[in-house]
């Protein structure tokens, strides 16, 4: 059986990756529609061996669509996701708009796939923030084993998380440092990103945290456990693709690095690369283009009782966005949760 799929925001970084992941994982697509704003009508995108021209979101009829993978930003999703869901299509949204709606499940299939059944209230499922997705994939099996009480995370987030313009700015600023007369001022970021780190992602909130840091807290509680305490510092770094995280975890009971290593090796979606030698860990460059969430540098945190420290890396365009969205669609198919019209 094949399914009719629409990609909204097909010309963006994540939209193009959604097309690649659907083809690579051989998701059973009978029809695929690439949709974008009117200025992108006719733009060609690749799907497997095929080339598809983008159509106008405003005039597209969703009444016969099974899945709509949405990656067009919060404003578009706020307006369109309920309208598309009302037509019977299941919307899997990559924006932040629906993540905190109590009637919309926030899903990472390896972590809380059973909660996906709640989508029937609005026909909308939310994808988490990219930095949250890889974090909870690693936390889930450890939480099941020893119950996590507190997490301290510092992120090192690539510029692709801010879109193509951000990637272009990093490239232009880097080149400009070596080519006289081609210096590029910061536009997408508040400060120079080339050869720099910026401890500021999203807007600042009244308590001094940024919205990105708040998202990690709120989403971890919704996806994994509302009792977990979490504090985050989110930093943009001059890396094109893949987010990295330095994570300190406190547990209710003792758990050794060796036990944690074995638990993680046996868990879905995770690859442990943890040799205590030069190069015996994963970096963002190596994680780019990979589906796994990589865990390295697993060690005891002796400053607290029952503490571990680790390093988590994943491709933010894949597990942080496109791959997770396709995995959600796969979960719906595997659990036979599609509305009768699709069956």
């Amino acid at each position: 059986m094949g399914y009719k799929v629409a990609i909204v925001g097909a010309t963006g970084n994540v939209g193009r990756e959604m097309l690649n992941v659907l083809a690579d994982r051989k998701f059973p697509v009978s029809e695929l529609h690439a949709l974008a704003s009117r200025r992108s009508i006719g733009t060609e995108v690749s799907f497997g061996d095929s080339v598809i021209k983008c159509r106008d979101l405003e005039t597209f009829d969703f009444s016969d669509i099974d899945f709509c993978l949405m990656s067009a930003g919060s404003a578009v999703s706020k307006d369109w996701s309920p309208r598309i869901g009302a037509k019977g299509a299941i919307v899997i949204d990559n924006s932040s708009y629906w993540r905190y709606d109590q009637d919309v499940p926030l899903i990472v299939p390896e972590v809380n796939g059973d909660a996906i059944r709640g989508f029937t209230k609005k026909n909308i499922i939310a994808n988490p923030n990219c930095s949250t997705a890889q974090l909870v994939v690693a936390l889930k099996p450890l939480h099941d084993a020893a119950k996590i009480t507190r997490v301290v995370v510092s992120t090192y987030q690539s510029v692709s998380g801010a879109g193509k313009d951000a990637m272009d700015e990093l490239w232009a600023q880097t080149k400009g440092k070596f080519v006289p007369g081609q210096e590029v001022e910061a536009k997408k970021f508040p400060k120079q990103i080339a050869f720099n780190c910026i401890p500021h992602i999203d807007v600042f909130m009244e308590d001094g945290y940024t919205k990105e840091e708040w998202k990690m807290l709120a989403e971890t509680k919704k996806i994994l456990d509302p009792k977990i305490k979490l504090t985050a510092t989110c930093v943009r770094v001059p890396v094109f693709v893949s987010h990295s995280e330095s994570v300190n975890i406190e547990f209710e009971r003792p758990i050794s690095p060796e036990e944690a290593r074995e638990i993680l090796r046996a868990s879905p979606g995770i690859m442990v690369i943890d040799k205590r030698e030069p190069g015996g860990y994963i970096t963002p460059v190596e994680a780019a283009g990979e589906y796994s969430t990589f865990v390295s540098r697993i060690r005891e945190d002796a400053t607290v009782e029952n503490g571990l420290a680790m390093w988590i890396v994943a491709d933010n365009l894949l597990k942080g966005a496109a791959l997770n969205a396709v995995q959600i669609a796969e979960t719906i198919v595997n659990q036979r949760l599609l509305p009768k019209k699709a069956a």
Side-chain angles (χ1 to χ4, degrees):
M1 179 186 293
Y3 303 96
K4 297 177 182 180
V5 180
I7 309 288
V8 177
T11 60
N13 285 343
V14 173
R16 291 177 186 272
E17 289 293 352
M18 286 174 169
L19 291 162
N20 292 336
V21 174
L22 285 168
D24 184 60
R25 292 175 71 88
K26 296 179 171 57
F27 186 83
V29 176
S30 61
E31 292 181 14
L32 192 136
H33 305 275
L35 307 176
S37 62
R38 289 183 177 174
R39 68 177 180 272
S40 296
I41 294 174
T43 299
E44 294 184 341
V45 293
S46 298
F47 174 60
D49 295 329
S50 304
V51 174
I52 303 171
K53 288 187 177 182
C54 288
R55 300 170 62 183
D56 184 10
L57 168 64
E58 295 281 346
T59 59
F60 187 77
D61 182 7
F62 286 92
S63 59
D64 203 29
I65 294 297
D66 299 315
F67 292 101
C68 174
L69 276 56
M70 175 81 67
S71 185
S74 292
V76 174
S77 183
K78 175 186 177 182
D79 185 26
W80 279 93
S81 291
R83 295 156 64 180
I84 297 169
K87 292 283 188 177
I90 299 172
V91 179
I92 302 172
D93 179 45
N94 195 59
S95 80
S96 63
Y97 186 80
W98 299 100
R99 292 174 188 162
Y100 318 109
D101 188 313
Q102 62 181 0
D103 292 330
V104 174
L106 180 63
I107 300 295
V108 176
E110 300 95 329
V111 179
N112 64 337
D114 291 343
I116 208 166
R117 295 176 179 272
F119 78 86
T120 54
K121 294 178 181 178
K122 291 186 176 179
N123 263 10
I124 302 171
I125 301 167
N127 236 12
N129 187 36
C130 45
S131 52
T132 305
Q134 67 188 66
L135 177 67
V136 296
V137 167
L139 294 184
K140 166 64 172 175
L142 298 175
H143 186 56
D144 288 345
K147 198 164 186 182
I148 295 168
T149 58
R150 181 171 180 258
V151 178
V152 179
V153 56
S154 296
T155 72
Y156 306 80
Q157 295 179 225
S158 67
V159 295
S160 58
K164 185 180 182 300
D165 289 345
M167 298 176 75
D168 292 343
E169 186 163 305
L170 172 58
W171 169 249
Q173 284 183 354
T174 303
K175 186 172 65 173
K177 290 296 177 181
F178 298 98
V179 181
Q182 292 193 19
E183 292 82 3
V184 176
E185 293 184 0
K187 294 181 180 179
K188 185 68 178 180
F189 298 109
K191 296 195 177 191
Q192 172 188 312
I193 185 60
F195 307 102
N196 201 12
C197 297
I198 304 173
H200 168 203
I201 301 177
D202 212 324
V203 298
F204 277 95
M205 304 177 72
E206 289 185 2
D207 61 2
Y209 284 85
T210 65
K211 186 71 175 291
E212 184 82 357
E213 294 157 354
W214 176 84
K215 288 175 188 175
M216 293 194 74
L217 167 64
E219 293 172 20
T220 299
K221 286 177 174 290
K222 182 173 179 177
I223 295 168
L224 189 56
D225 187 338
K227 295 181 180 179
I228 290 177
K229 297 179 181 179
L230 185 146
T231 183
T233 300
C234 293
V235 183
R236 191 74 72 186
V237 296
V239 170
F240 283 107
V241 177
S242 296
H243 291 351
S244 305
E245 297 171 347
S246 172
V247 186
N248 292 67
I249 312 168
E250 294 180 44
F251 298 88
E252 278 195 353
R253 72 160 180 86
I255 178 170
S256 69
E258 293 74 23
E259 182 183 357
R261 204 172 285 116
E262 291 307 309
I263 290 169
L264 291 169
R265 282 193 176 121
S267 301
I270 295 173
M271 185 171 290
V272 176
I273 307 292
D274 190 19
K275 297 179 181 179
R276 294 178 177 180
E277 61 187 41
Y281 40 79
I282 285 291
T283 62
V285 169
E286 297 154 313
E290 299 291 335
Y291 287 168
S292 296
T293 294
F294 295 90
V295 184
S296 305
R297 303 289 320 279
I298 303 168
R299 61 205 188 276
E300 180 186 1
D301 179 355
T303 66
V304 296
E305 286 190 24
N306 310 329
L308 289 178
M310 60 188 63
W311 175 251
I312 302 171
V313 186
D315 186 317
N316 56 293
L317 299 178
L318 292 176
K319 187 54 195 171
L323 172 63
N324 199 70
V326 174
Q327 287 177 309
I328 289 171
E330 291 172 343
T331 302
I332 292 170
V333 170
N334 293 337
Q335 293 188 16
R336 299 183 179 180
L337 299 177
L338 280 165
K340 288 184 179 180
K341 69 149 191 166

